[in-house]
Amino acid sequence: MKTQLLKKWEISMLLALCITLCAGVWASARSAALSGSLVRLHVVAVSDDAEEQAIKLRVRDSVLAYLEPRLEGVQDAAGARELIGSELDGIRSAAETAAEGREVSVTLGREYYPTRDYGTFALPAGSYESLRVVLGEGRGHNWWCVVYPPLCVGSVSEESVETSASGVLSEDQISLISGQDGEYVLRFKVLEWWDSLVQKFQG
């Protein structure tokens, strides 16, 4: 009898482990597909001084205004990365016009982002292609969003998320980030837990 109980317990543990592994792999694969379809924008202020934070937002607006017409007609994230990579000098100049003499550093590369809820849509933690604009020593609070597809709008609604991302993201991905299925927070938590577990074992 004890042997049978032990076997049932072992089977239950194995089933739980299998479900956990499957959920982790599923969430990780889904996040990787999503991150590969986006280009993020990360603007870092000189400091947390109110004036520096205001300048950070003006630099953000200047960079977005520069990129918006140039990204029109771009079909995918690869095209967006190529265009942004070729426009780094122009992006820096656009940032400098709003930086009021502050040193500006502009780079394009992979960067890790935490989970971020923008109210009408959210993005899971993970490594994303990122246009990074750093002002001065970059010791202030940062601002991040999505430059491609163009989701960096303060008044973005669920409808405009769907419109802006249509043709770039799949319906499943739009549903995931906009919360139309009501479960994205739970999914992102599963992904964060899985990533921390993987990093722990890799370390």
Side-chain angles (χ1 to χ4, degrees), residues 1-106:
M1 186 67 176
K2 289 183 178 180
T3 303
Q4 290 179 343
L5 288 174
L6 182 60
K7 287 182 178 179
K8 288 180 179 179
W9 179 82
E10 290 175 337
I11 291 172
S12 297
M13 290 296 292
L14 286 172
L15 286 173
L17 178 61
C18 287
I19 291 171
T20 300
L21 290 174
C22 288
V25 171
W26 165 82
S28 183
R30 202 172 185 193
S31 176
L34 176 64
S35 67
S37 301
L38 305 174
V39 180
R40 303 286 292 265
L41 173 61
H42 188 186
V43 184
V44 188
V46 173
S47 70
D48 287 338
D49 179 80
E51 181 181 359
E52 297 300 339
Q53 289 295 309
I55 289 173
K56 173 193 70 177
L57 297 180
R58 290 198 288 271
V59 168
R60 170 203 66 184
D61 293 342
S62 183
V63 168
L64 290 175
Y66 179 85
L67 282 174
E68 183 178 2
R70 290 166 174 79
L71 286 171
E72 287 183 4
V74 173
Q75 299 299 314
D76 53 33
R81 288 192 294 269
E82 183 177 354
L83 184 143
I84 292 171
S86 69
E87 292 284 349
L88 291 182
D89 288 340
I91 294 168
R92 183 181 297 104
S93 295
E96 288 173 343
T97 61
E100 299 183 10
R102 287 147 183 83
E103 182 181 355
V104 176
S105 171
V106 177

Side-chain angles (χ1 to χ4, degrees), residues 182-193:
E183 298 178 0
Y184 66 89
V185 173
L186 175 59
R187 291 171 177 172
F188 293 174
K189 292 298 182 183
V190 170
L191 179 60
E192 286 182 9
W193 172 82

Side-chain angles (χ1 to χ4, degrees), residues 143-202:
W143 183 93
W144 50 58
C145 195
V146 184
V147 69
Y148 182 85
L151 301 178
C152 289
V153 180
S155 60
V156 169
S157 64
E158 289 188 9
E159 290 76 16
S160 58
V161 167
E162 185 171 355
T163 299
S164 297
S166 179
V168 178
L169 303 181
S170 67
E171 291 184 4
D172 180 61
Q173 289 173 329
I174 293 173
S175 177
L176 175 66
I177 69 170
S178 65
Q180 292 174 8
D181 55 12
E183 298 178 0
Y184 66 89
V185 173
L186 175 59
R187 291 171 177 172
F188 293 174
K189 292 298 182 183
V190 170
L191 179 60
E192 286 182 9
W193 172 82
W194 176 258
D195 284 344
S196 65
L197 186 65
V198 170
Q199 290 174 14
K200 182 178 179 181
F201 278 101
Q202 288 179 340

